Amino acid sequence: MRRLASWCFRHKFIVVIAWVALIAGANAIHSAAGSAYSDNFKLPNTESFNAIRLLQRNAPKQSGDTDQVVFAVKHGRLTDPAIAARIQAVLRSLATTPHVTTIRSPFSPGGAKQISPSGQIGFADVTFDVAPNKLGDPNAKAFVQRVTSASGNGLEFETEGQIAQQGNQNRGSTSLFFGFFAAAIVLFVVFGTLLAMALPLLTAAFSLGTGIAVIGLLSHAISMASFSNQLALLIGLGVGIDYALFIVTRYRQGRLRGLSSEEAAIQSLDTSGRAVLFAGMIVCIAMLGMFALGVSFLYGVAVAATVAVAFTVIAALTLLPALLAIFGRFVLRRRERRRLKQGTLAASDESAAWARWTGWMQRSPMAFAGIATAVMVVIAIPFFSMRLGSADAGSDPANSTTRKAYDLLAKGFGPGYNGPLQLVAQINSPAQRVAFINTERAVASTPGVVGQTRPNFIAGTNGRPGVALADVYPKGSPQDASTADLLHKVRGQVIPAATRGTGVHVLVGGNTAIFDDFSHVLSRKLPLFIGIVVLLSFLLLMAVFRSLLIPLTAAVMNMLSAGAAFGVVTAIFQNGWGASLIGVDKTGPIEAFLPVLMFPILFGLSMDYEVFLVSRIYEEWHLRRDNREAVTHGLAATGRTITAAAAIMVLVFGAFVLGGERVIELFGVGLSSAVLLDALIVRSVIVPALMLMFGEANWKLPGSLDRLLPQLRVEGSRGHEAVIQTASGATSRATSAA
């Protein structure tokens, strides 16, 4: 690390030019190649996935997404000749849209049920022969535009469905601007100079500018969800600024102790740079742990976040030393530069306030740890009532076409019409046709079902058997718990009883069933995933700090931070506590993939502060060989910086609540609350209090493990030299005594 810092410092212009060439080249290639994000995911061995496979094999024209085009009038009725003619003209126009195979209109035979009892709201089902990700953003946006542009003269057209969601997404956001602006304010308050403020932002900008371009290029090779780049941007911006902040802070402390600019840069990388490297490794390990889930939808998200974090680490360890070599003397305030020139240097880089805080905890560390832990547990309580699922279009922004379509359908027919359950079966004989009709009637008569369509029998292609389709509409909305209960009852009781002895295998598919299956798959694999991430992080921390207690404490505390963050998310987005304060006007279940995405991020970010804090305590332990002194001086040296870093992350993550997309809002609230609680309660109270309680047992490691584990030396050369001096002194004293 010292050699890397020295080389980058002395070859500063080469490093800067290399980074400029890298970001320019990556973005030029990305601009030419574009991105290929897709929200497609596979759930092998689930009923909804088997239904899709059956349609793709036997009736490919019915195998894609089915969106609903909703129309409404305030005066008159949809069946009035002039109004009906306008609607039919729009539907004929939609029939020419690429990949549209069938349109089930309320004006076609059997379509009367698609007009509300008031006669003022109706809908048409538009079926595509491809999944939304295969249709592409341009075609999806063109479809939405063709529908919504037909509104006018008292007749409103809206649309909802997966393709409508894809075409309605607004990729752009002001979140990045607000995140950068908020971080700049905190950095200026911390450092007091514009240049010191600019260096972490400039480093993060270079790393993210390159990382996002690389992620866009990787989307051609790996399936990546459409929100992957936004999530990577959110994580990368937070950790990128924080990593640079820790290194610049250590550089300033070195300069104020009288070190030359080069010596301060080398020492900052040799200490804080090592912490950055290990913290980044833990975040990447946690993210890549999602591969253990076996859900391909999450692989691209994991890779995207890992790429973003990796580039922030590389930039902090290479570009930042080069920038310090060019602008290093301006990192200090004017009065600090004057004191440095006069030789009136600061005696210590530690905070007296944090030292006093540690002194108070020393009097009763058990009480501090107990009270703080109780607070975290109370905040985490809502997590135990978290309901996984998928929020429906009723949670979309109020001005979006998907939300308007949802509200119209709910008003005219009931909320369940926004997410029908699709019955699918392979039909080989007339007897099986009759069996399917009877099964559809049995499902339609189940309590909780308020409507159904007539069975549609489609001849098979390429000599394959035919397929039967029918939609049933639940009473509750797609995201309601009652709809999930109805789905389980239909699958587990109604269909088996109706098809017994008929030879017909009726599957329940549709978007509502897909997301229910998705949540069950992830819920089953979540314990394995958490175990893998915690175990790998435990092993890495054990090797870094040569301890059993420290990694064990870190694992438990990080789980506590994650639980509290999930509690906050559940309280706001599911229970509605304070939801209106951040513009959330409708509650619903928590997205099924949120825990498996948020947990590694939360775990990794919590580990960041653990590594930054404990690495400094570990360094002081090597220098002082007194646990209380090490905790006191370590927290006094890092407490202010960790607080500033947390403030930056909270503001950056909180800014993403402004994005308007519910998924990103969930992440913004969850991550910002986790960082806030972790920095204020866990790292400032619980961890130091526990380390004071455990005493020198913090630094104990069985000899067999010590010999087995690699020597990673996160304490840097300064701490390592202290170990050697201590060992040499002990040897000399033993020799003299002999």
Side-chain angles (χ1 to χ4, degrees), residues 504-543:
V504 176
H505 183 46
V506 179
L507 303 170
V508 183
N511 288 329
T512 302
I514 288 172
F515 287 116
D516 186 82
D517 289 340
F518 189 38
S519 64
H520 280 281
V521 168
L522 293 182
S523 298
R524 287 199 307 267
K525 296 185 177 182
L526 189 58
L528 172 65
F529 166 61
I530 292 175
I532 289 174
V533 171
V534 172
L535 177 62
L536 290 175
S537 302
F538 178 89
L539 293 174
L540 183 59
L541 286 182
M542 187 167 60

Side-chain angles (χ1 to χ4, degrees), residues 7-21 318-319 321-323 325-327:
W7 191 92
C8 292
F9 191 93
R10 294 178 181 179
H11 300 83
K12 49 187 177 292
F13 294 113
I14 294 177
V15 174
V16 172
I17 291 171
W19 269 99
V20 171
T318 57
L319 178 61
L323 294 176
I326 299 172
F327 305 110

Side-chain angles (χ1 to χ4, degrees), residues 730-738:
T731 304
S732 300
R733 288 191 296 272
T735 304
S736 299

Side-chain angles (χ1 to χ4, degrees), residues 255-583:
R255 293 288 285 134
L256 291 174
R257 288 199 307 270
L259 298 180
S260 69
S261 184
E262 182 175 357
E263 289 171 339
I266 292 173
Q267 189 187 84
S268 65
L269 250 69
D270 193 37
T271 51
S272 293
R274 290 173 186 262
V276 164
L277 177 61
F278 288 120
M281 286 171 59
I282 291 175
V283 175
C284 292
I285 287 172
M287 295 305 303
L288 293 176
M290 283 192 281
F291 276 81
L293 290 167
V295 179
S296 59
F297 173 70
L298 300 175
Y299 295 169
V301 179
V303 170
T306 301
V307 168
V309 173
F311 271 103
T312 63
V313 172
I314 295 169
L317 300 182
T318 57
L319 178 61
L320 190 53
L323 294 176
L324 289 173
I326 299 172
F327 305 110
R329 73 187 190 93
F330 298 107
V331 168
L332 300 177
R333 294 182 175 95
R334 186 172 299 175
R335 67 174 180 273
E336 291 171 337
R337 294 200 299 270
R338 188 166 53 247
R339 285 167 49 203
L340 182 63
K341 192 173 182 180
Q342 295 171 351
T344 344
L345 302 173
S348 172
D349 56 18
E350 297 177 4
S351 165
W354 282 99
R356 287 195 298 272
W357 172 251
T358 313
W360 294 337
M361 283 195 292
Q362 287 180 3
R363 298 171 190 168
S364 183
M366 185 178 295
F368 275 87
I371 294 172
T373 301
V375 171
M376 294 291 287
V377 169
V378 168
I379 296 174
I381 287 175
F383 167 59
F384 297 100
S385 63
M386 177 185 284
R387 182 170 67 86
L388 297 180
S390 179
D392 53 36
S395 299
D396 289 351
N399 61 348
S400 64
T401 184
T402 50
R403 173 64 179 274
K404 292 176 182 177
Y406 177 95
D407 290 340
L408 287 172
L409 280 176
K411 178 182 177 182
F413 302 90
Y417 274 71
N418 287 282
L421 303 179
Q422 187 179 54
L423 306 183
V424 183
Q426 179 174 294
I427 300 299
N428 298 309
S429 65
Q432 289 187 345
R433 276 191 172 217
V434 174
F436 182 84
I437 291 172
N438 292 335
T439 301
E440 186 269 341
R441 289 173 178 170
V443 173
S445 62
T446 303
V449 174
V450 294
Q452 79 277 357
T453 62
R454 291 192 309 175
N456 183 20
F457 297 97
I458 302 168
T461 59
N462 300 322
R464 295 182 182 276
V467 172
L469 296 170
D471 288 344
V472 293
Y473 299 99
K475 181 180 181 180
S477 70
Q479 69 179 22
D480 285 352
S482 63
T483 303
D485 294 338
L486 174 65
L487 171 64
H488 302 157
K489 182 177 181 180
V490 167
R491 281 178 170 175
Q493 301 176 27
V494 179
I495 290 178
T499 58
R500 189 174 293 115
T502 65
V504 176
H505 183 46
V506 179
L507 303 170
V508 183
N511 288 329
T512 302
I514 288 172
F515 287 116
D516 186 82
D517 289 340
F518 189 38
S519 64
H520 280 281
V521 168
L522 293 182
S523 298
R524 287 199 307 267
K525 296 185 177 182
L526 189 58
L528 172 65
F529 166 61
I530 292 175
I532 289 174
V533 171
V534 172
L535 177 62
L536 290 175
S537 302
F538 178 89
L539 293 174
L540 183 59
L541 286 182
M542 187 167 60
V544 169
F545 296 119
R546 323 305 294 179
S547 166
L548 284 176
L549 274 178
I550 287 177
L552 180 62
T553 302
V556 174
M557 291 301 103
N558 293 344
M559 296 279 285
L560 186 61
S561 294
F566 288 140
V568 172
V569 168
T570 305
I572 294 175
F573 290 92
Q574 181 178 304
N575 300 340
W577 303 346
S580 60
L581 299 177
I582 60 172

Side-chain angles (χ1 to χ4, degrees), residues 107-124:
F107 304 107
S108 59
K113 291 183 178 180
Q114 293 172 229
I115 295 178
S116 67
S118 68
Q120 294 186 313
I121 300 174
F123 68 93

Side-chain angles (χ1 to χ4, degrees), residues 601-619:
I601 300 170
L602 295 178
F603 195 86
L605 295 178
S606 298
M607 278 294 187
D608 280 356
Y609 294 127
E610 180 76 10
V611 170
F612 289 135
L613 171 63
V614 180
S615 62
R616 186 58 184 264
I617 295 175
Y618 191 47
E619 183 182 335

Side-chain angles (χ1 to χ4, degrees), residues 64-78:
D65 187 56
T66 296
D67 280 32
Q68 291 169 307
V69 174
V70 186
F71 21 86
V73 290
K74 292 183 179 179
H75 306 288
R77 299 175 67 87
L78 296 178

